[in-house]
Amino acid sequence: MPLVDAEATEAFGAWLAPLVHPGDIITLEGPLGAGKTSIARGLLAALGLMGEAPSPSFAIVQPYAPPEVRLPVLHVDLYRVEDRGELAELGLDEALDDSLLLVEWPDRAGPDAWPGALALRLDFTPDGARILTISAPPAWQRRWPT
């Protein structure tokens, strides 16, 4: 799916909002500056967040909870995680009981992490736009609009 600019990237995130439920995981992959955080910002805004969502690059986990958003969300950026052992300290598995996880740089968790996630991959096109590749697991395919 082509995404011509930042507005289109955020709009895709907003489009996802009615489809998400607590316990869902959305992984966001791609090079620096490709729009991973833009998708997260669009989704968070559509879930009710007022103002701009900061990138969780330094905090690693940025939590959002009702009434700020309609369901609990953990926006996670694993870019600075160097040791997979650090992940247990973040409490992400426990959060899945009632939260949506948005995970940037999921490759830092290893290739077998989050097999049931909706995997979104952003890449640059030669003209500077972005191309979005979506990999939807069975749980997502049942609710994916046709």
Side-chain angles (χ1 to χ4, degrees), residues 25 27 93 96 110-119 135-140:
I25 303 168
T27 60
D93 290 336
L96 279 174
D112 299 326
W114 306 301
L118 176 68
S135 178
W140 277 89

Side-chain angles (χ1 to χ4, degrees), residues 20-25 70-72 95-101 143:
V20 298
H21 303 293
D24 285 342
I25 303 168
R70 80 167 166 83
L71 63 108
L96 279 174
D97 291 337
D98 66 354
S99 299
L100 164 67
L101 293 185
R143 61 181 126 142

Side-chain angles (χ1 to χ4, degrees), residues 56-60 77-83 86 105 108:
S57 294
F58 293 102
I60 300 178
D77 187 327
L78 300 179
Y79 184 74
R80 295 184 321 117
V81 172
E82 294 179 14
D83 180 357
E86 295 176 53
W105 301 97
R108 301 286 206 262

Side-chain angles (χ1 to χ4, degrees), residues 3 24 38-39 43 58 65-66 72 77 110 120 133 135 138 142-143:
L3 298 170
D24 285 342
S38 293
I39 288 177
L43 176 56
F58 293 102
D77 187 327
L120 306 178
T133 304
S135 178
R142 289 190 296 274
R143 61 181 126 142

Side-chain angles (χ1 to χ4, degrees), residues 43-133:
L43 176 56
L44 287 162
L47 291 175
L49 183 66
M50 303 301 288
E52 188 168 323
S55 172
S57 294
F58 293 102
I60 300 178
V61 178
Q62 180 67 46
Y64 300 93
E68 186 176 37
V69 288
R70 80 167 166 83
L71 63 108
V73 178
L74 292 181
H75 183 188
V76 182
D77 187 327
L78 300 179
Y79 184 74
R80 295 184 321 117
V81 172
E82 294 179 14
D83 180 357
R84 291 182 193 154
E86 295 176 53
L87 295 174
E89 297 173 22
L90 299 177
L92 301 179
D93 290 336
E94 295 83 15
L96 279 174
D97 291 337
D98 66 354
S99 299
L100 164 67
L101 293 185
L102 300 175
V103 183
E104 296 187 38
W105 301 97
D107 57 308
R108 301 286 206 262
D112 299 326
W114 306 301
L118 176 68
L120 306 178
R121 168 115 193 135
L122 287 154
D123 288 294
F124 291 105
T125 62
D127 64 357
R130 277 92 173 146
I131 191 83
L132 174 66
T133 304

Side-chain angles (χ1 to χ4, degrees), residues 8-36:
T9 306
E10 285 191 25
F12 177 78
W15 178 85
L16 284 173
L19 304 177
V20 298
H21 303 293
D24 285 342
I25 303 168
I26 299 175
T27 60
L28 301 159
E29 298 180 79
L32 285 170
K36 297 177 295 294

